[in-house]
Amino acid sequence: MQNKTLTPILLAGIFFLMLGLSFAAVPLYDLFCKVTGFGGTTQVSRQAPELVLDQKVSVRFDTNVNKLPWNFKAKTNVMDVKIGQVNSIEFEVENYGNETTYGVASFNVSPSTFGKYYSKLGCFCFEKQTLEPNQTVEMPVVFYIDPSIVEDPGMADIDTITLSYTFFKYIE
């Protein structure tokens, strides 16, 4: 008799545990990616590093638009940056359509293992952007390459990275 009561309670407990884990999966995965740089996830920083090295890395910028009447480009396609130095890049976005449109940019870094060393101090990424018809705006990204990269033997051969930004239509 006791097993007949215990089994449904155990199954209900497993069900609620799995339900809780399914809701926790997204924030836990996001935290994991931010800490490890997994999948090219970059870091967000509040202050610049104190150390600037003479070693340089070439940073390429790739821009894309998905289902928006926008032109989107970096003002500079390639920058050679010193490791640890704060850099700024301007992007230009134009709405060539005849109505107000909304977009959100996401990005990734390649090679993906470089993500944990790319730190943003400011970015328009993941924020809703509104462009009026025929409006052109400039959007900056402020970043640096973390000096701790020189301590990672897996990064020794990497001298060029690509940052790829894509604007997607914002849907509320």
Side-chain angles (χ1 to χ4, degrees):
M1 187 74 168
Q2 198 175 38
N3 283 342
K4 289 182 180 183
T5 307
L6 185 60
T7 300
I9 292 172
L10 184 61
L11 288 175
I14 291 172
F15 170 78
F16 285 111
L17 175 67
M18 296 302 286
L19 183 65
L21 287 175
S22 69
F23 282 104
V26 171
L28 288 174
Y29 180 76
D30 186 46
L31 177 64
F32 170 77
C33 290
K34 285 179 181 176
V35 169
T36 64
F38 181 75
T41 301
T42 61
Q43 306 302 304
V44 176
S45 182
R46 297 194 192 284
Q47 64 184 26
E50 295 178 13
L51 179 65
V52 176
L53 306 175
D54 283 332
Q55 187 176 346
K56 289 186 176 184
V57 174
S58 185
V59 182
R60 295 179 12 171
F61 300 96
D62 174 52
T63 56
N64 305 284
V65 178
N66 186 311
K67 297 183 181 179
L68 281 169
W70 292 8
N71 286 322
F72 175 44
K73 62 183 177 184
K75 288 197 170 183
T76 304
N77 290 330
V78 178
M79 291 176 69
D80 289 331
V81 301
K82 285 185 175 183
I83 294 174
Q85 182 178 24
V86 175
N87 303 277
S88 181
I89 175 77
E90 294 280 331
F91 291 86
E92 186 176 274
V93 186
E94 173 195 12
N95 178 0
Y96 60 81
N98 55 10
E99 59 186 51
T100 301
T101 50
Y102 309 92
V104 174
S106 68
F107 69 95
N108 61 23
V109 61
S110 178
S112 62
T113 54
F114 197 88
K116 66 181 175 181
Y117 300 107
Y118 178 80
S119 295
K120 298 177 295 181
L121 292 166
C123 185
F124 56 86
C125 311
F126 306 113
E127 296 175 4
K128 178 182 172 184
Q129 305 295 329
T130 303
L131 269 73
E132 302 293 328
N134 301 309
Q135 180 184 15
T136 301
V137 295
E138 292 181 0
M139 298 180 182
V141 173
V142 180
F143 69 96
Y144 66 88
I145 308 301
D146 190 322
S148 66
I149 191 171
V150 298
E151 298 166 10
D152 186 341
M155 298 285 112
D157 294 337
I158 296 177
D159 60 357
T160 302
I161 64 166
T162 301
L163 296 172
S164 183
Y165 293 84
T166 302
F167 259 109
F168 294 93
K169 186 175 184 176
Y170 180 82
I171 301 172
E172 293 188 71

